[in-house]
């Protein structure tokens, strides 16, 4: 569920050695499943462990995860690096903002998850976003673009060479292509 590198494990063990006996760490997500989700790590004294917590055992300590954070910490990674600029603990949780969907979830949910987890973070760097409106009976994902994507001269490249290509690679037996329903010249909807 959560991968903690050897360097991070050594860092936690060192920090915990100066804490009260039985203190471990807690890994959590604040505002899970939202755009403002934030991941964190804190000390977890013995009296802060809840019965529904998930305990992940490592060499010399345990990491506890609360029930609400658990699905959002799937595939999370914690690392500790040292370079000429100093030391840094990094926590990557690709599912913190959006709950991962099962491989057998409905097609709409799987395509939507892909867009929210993979595409929108990239589009956000340009002030844009896309929304899945529907999946047609003949297998096309119909998208609505907004923000910086609306009227962008590169939208055709984004749709065909980016989103469509990746979706067909991932779900080619179910998705034939992508259609953009945004009328980019006027910033309105035009279906297809």
């Amino acid at each position: 569920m959560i991968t903690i590198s050897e360097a991070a494990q050594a860092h936690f063990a060192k920090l915990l050695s100066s804490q009260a006996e039985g203190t471990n760490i807690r890994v959590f997500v604040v505002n899970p499943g939202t755009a403002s989700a934030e991941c964190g790590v804190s000390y977890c004294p013995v009296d802060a462990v809840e019965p529904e917590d998930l305990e992940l055992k490592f060499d010399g300590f345990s990491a506890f995860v609360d029930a609400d954070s658990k699905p959002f910490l799937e595939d999370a990674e914690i690392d500790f690096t040292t370079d000429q600029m100093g030391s840094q603990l990094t926590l990557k949780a690709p599912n913190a903002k959006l709950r991962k969907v099962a491989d057998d979830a409905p097609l709409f949910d799987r395509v939507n998850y892909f867009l929210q987890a993979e595409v929108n973070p990239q589009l956000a760097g340009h002030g844009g976003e896309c929304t899945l409106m529907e999946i047609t009976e003949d297998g096309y994902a119909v998208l609505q673009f907004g923000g910086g994507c609306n009227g962008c001269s590169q939208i055709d490249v984004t749709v065909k060479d980016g989103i469509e290509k990746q979706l067909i690679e991932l779900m080619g037996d179910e998705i034939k292509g992508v259609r953009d329903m945004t009328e980019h010249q006027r910033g309105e909807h035009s279906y297809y």
Side-chain angles (χ1 to χ4, degrees), residues 107-140:
L107 181 60
F108 186 94
D109 294 346
R110 288 182 283 127
V111 171
N112 190 54
Y113 175 79
F114 168 77
L115 294 173
Q116 299 305 318
E118 302 293 330
V119 175
N120 276 340
Q122 294 174 30
L123 296 179
H126 302 278
E129 64 178 354
C130 74
T131 304
L132 178 62
M133 302 308 288
E134 72 167 304
I135 296 178
T136 64
E137 287 184 25
D138 57 348
Y140 284 86

Side-chain angles (χ1 to χ4, degrees):
M1 173 185 190
I2 299 175
T3 303
I4 300 180
S5 71
E6 289 185 22
Q9 288 182 48
H11 176 69
F12 289 135
K14 181 180 175 185
L15 290 174
L16 290 167
S17 69
S18 63
Q19 296 299 309
E21 180 83 22
T23 300
N24 287 287
I25 65 168
R26 176 170 297 284
V27 184
F28 57 90
V29 181
V30 177
N31 300 318
T34 69
S36 60
E38 292 288 331
C39 300
V41 179
S42 65
Y43 290 119
C44 183
V46 176
D47 62 355
V49 176
E50 299 291 332
E52 63 276 359
D53 284 348
L54 171 67
E55 180 179 7
L56 304 169
K57 295 182 183 218
F58 294 93
D59 190 23
F61 68 94
S62 289
F64 289 93
V65 178
D66 63 271
D68 290 340
S69 295
K70 184 181 169 189
F72 299 96
L73 288 170
E74 194 74 34
D75 301 324
E77 298 176 8
I78 301 175
D79 195 12
F80 184 75
T81 56
T82 303
D83 59 23
Q84 62 270 26
M85 300 297 286
S87 300
Q88 181 176 355
L89 186 69
T90 58
L91 198 159
K92 295 178 185 172
N95 299 302
K97 294 182 187 311
L98 187 67
R99 184 188 302 244
K100 190 172 184 179
V101 297
D103 292 340
D104 62 352
L107 181 60
F108 186 94
D109 294 346
R110 288 182 283 127
V111 171
N112 190 54
Y113 175 79
F114 168 77
L115 294 173
Q116 299 305 318
E118 302 293 330
V119 175
N120 276 340
Q122 294 174 30
L123 296 179
H126 302 278
E129 64 178 354
C130 74
T131 304
L132 178 62
M133 302 308 288
E134 72 167 304
I135 296 178
T136 64
E137 287 184 25
D138 57 348
Y140 284 86
V142 179
L143 307 180
Q144 170 72 46
F145 289 87
C149 292
N150 198 348
C152 175
S153 62
Q154 294 296 307
I155 195 67
D156 290 341
V157 174
T158 300
V159 171
K160 292 295 177 194
D161 295 343
I163 300 169
E164 183 174 82
K165 186 176 181 182
Q166 291 177 59
L167 270 176
I168 290 172
E169 283 176 19
L170 289 170
M171 304 172 203
D173 55 333
E174 298 172 280
I175 293 290
K176 291 183 183 162
V178 172
R179 292 183 178 150
D180 176 7
M181 69 178 277
T182 313
E183 192 171 311
H184 292 276
Q185 297 82 357
R186 290 186 281 172
E188 296 174 359
H189 309 294
S190 75
Y191 205 80
Y192 306 79

